[in-house]
Amino acid sequence: MNCFLIPTVSAVAFLITCLATYLEIPILKKKQAGQNIREDGPQSHLAKAGTPSMGGVAIIISVVSATVTGRNFSADTAAVLLTFVGFGTIGFFDDYLKVIKHNNLGLRVWQKFGLQALIAAVLAIYLANSNEYGTEVYIPFANMEVDFGIWYIPFIIFTVLAMVNAVNLTDGLDGLASGTTAITSLFFALLADQFAELSVEVFYAAILGGCLGFLVFNINPAKIFMGDTGSLALGGGLAAASIVMNMELFLLIAGFVYVLEALSVCIQVVGFKFTGKRVFRMAPLHHHFELGGMGERKVVYMFWAASAVFAVIGLIIV
């Protein structure tokens, strides 16, 4: 165990993100890269219209920089970084069309999910053939590994896509996604340190620092949003690194806030389709609490606290 690795890498990523975000904000303002706000959402959010988006660029720069200069860079680390940057690139083009070209639709659904599925498939095939764990998946609670065989690749594709879009759904309030992801990354960094998975420990430490650095500018009232550039990259990176160390099912535990956010959308859609009534005031779940009268900051702090609790539960299980 290296007691200085996580804080050192996190500090580097934190400083790079702060500097990159500080420099990025005026550039985005000049480009008029402001966020479009849904009129059917919480009315308090309408004041956020025009806030610069695409702040995820700063997070990507810092995470990549801190990771490549860290220790134990390997083929698996490269695979995680390529996945991280790949999903961030998809988000970048989507954001570019929306906030700079002012095309509200952005990438078409089939383009966005097709590209996501392609990156997830490449990662799954690589890991099935090159990772030391092969097609085995560690099962928490049972403390055993199960060989998924031919089902491994579709399982990994589903895991990556689910995580990417769950983090994307979570990015709906100032500081929510960045704070939650910082907590989840800390959990996985500690897990990687415990099992000597140094190839991804540095990456998780970099995400931790990157998210905290971005949070300086993203806390309510946010001066900048990460956009799909950041949320897709973070979701892809979290998923890829957990799979590399054979701990992907811990995403369901430490990342349970993401699961709740995604489930709330699924439940809302299915419930409305079959009953014509909404189960929640609005989905994703954080909007349900907002429309119930809870202030935005209180909702964010509540979700951060929940993330911390789930992370602790994950550490206890390990």
Side-chain angles (χ1 to χ4, degrees), residues 32-286:
Q32 295 184 327
Q35 180 70 38
N36 297 315
I37 304 298
R38 291 170 50 188
E39 293 184 1
D40 60 343
Q43 294 302 297
S44 60
H45 287 210
L46 295 178
K48 300 181 181 184
T51 301
S53 190
M54 301 178 73
V57 171
I59 298 175
I60 292 174
I61 291 172
S62 70
V63 171
V64 172
S65 300
T67 302
V68 298
T69 56
R71 296 171 47 192
N72 297 91
F73 193 89
S74 66
D76 283 348
T77 312
V80 171
L81 278 180
L82 287 172
T83 302
F84 175 72
V85 174
F87 278 105
T89 302
I90 295 172
F92 176 85
F93 283 115
D94 194 41
D95 285 337
Y96 179 81
L97 291 173
K98 289 178 180 177
V99 302
I100 293 183
K101 291 297 185 180
H102 302 291
N103 178 349
N104 291 334
L105 295 177
L107 290 174
R108 296 182 183 274
V109 173
W110 67 268
Q111 293 173 323
K112 194 171 183 178
F113 285 95
L115 290 170
Q116 289 181 15
L118 176 61
I119 295 175
V122 171
L123 175 69
I125 293 170
Y126 163 76
L127 293 176
N129 292 281
S130 303
N131 189 263
E132 63 177 298
Y133 300 107
T135 56
E136 292 185 342
V137 175
Y138 178 76
I139 309 298
F141 299 105
N143 194 28
M144 61 182 291
E145 293 179 347
V146 175
D147 192 339
F148 275 40
I150 62 173
W151 297 106
Y152 180 79
I153 290 177
F155 169 72
I156 294 302
I157 293 174
F158 172 79
T159 299
V160 174
L161 294 182
M163 189 63 182
V164 166
N165 290 286
V167 174
N168 183 240
L169 290 170
T170 304
D171 183 32
L173 299 180
D174 296 355
L176 179 55
S178 47
T180 300
T181 303
I183 295 168
T184 306
S185 297
L186 175 60
F187 162 80
F188 277 107
L190 294 173
L191 198 65
D193 187 70
Q194 181 176 340
F195 290 96
E197 296 282 356
L198 296 181
S199 61
V200 294
E201 180 181 353
V202 171
F203 175 75
Y204 277 125
I207 287 189
L208 169 61
C211 286
L212 290 177
F214 188 71
L215 195 58
V216 172
F217 302 89
N218 186 232
I219 192 70
N220 184 272
K223 297 179 179 66
I224 188 171
F225 301 135
M226 68 172 66
D228 284 4
T229 306
S231 61
L232 297 189
L234 292 174
L238 285 176
S242 69
I243 296 165
V244 162
M245 64 177 181
N246 203 28
M247 294 290 180
E248 54 265 52
L249 290 184
F250 275 94
L251 290 170
L252 294 173
I253 303 169
F256 197 61
V257 164
Y258 304 129
V259 176
L260 289 174
E261 292 276 52
L263 276 178
S264 68
V265 174
C266 295
I267 292 171
Q268 187 84 320
V269 171
V270 174
F272 188 77
K273 181 176 181 180
F274 286 98
T275 68
K277 297 181 180 179
R278 293 180 172 84
V279 177
F280 303 102
R281 298 182 186 95
M282 185 178 179
L285 188 60
H286 53 261

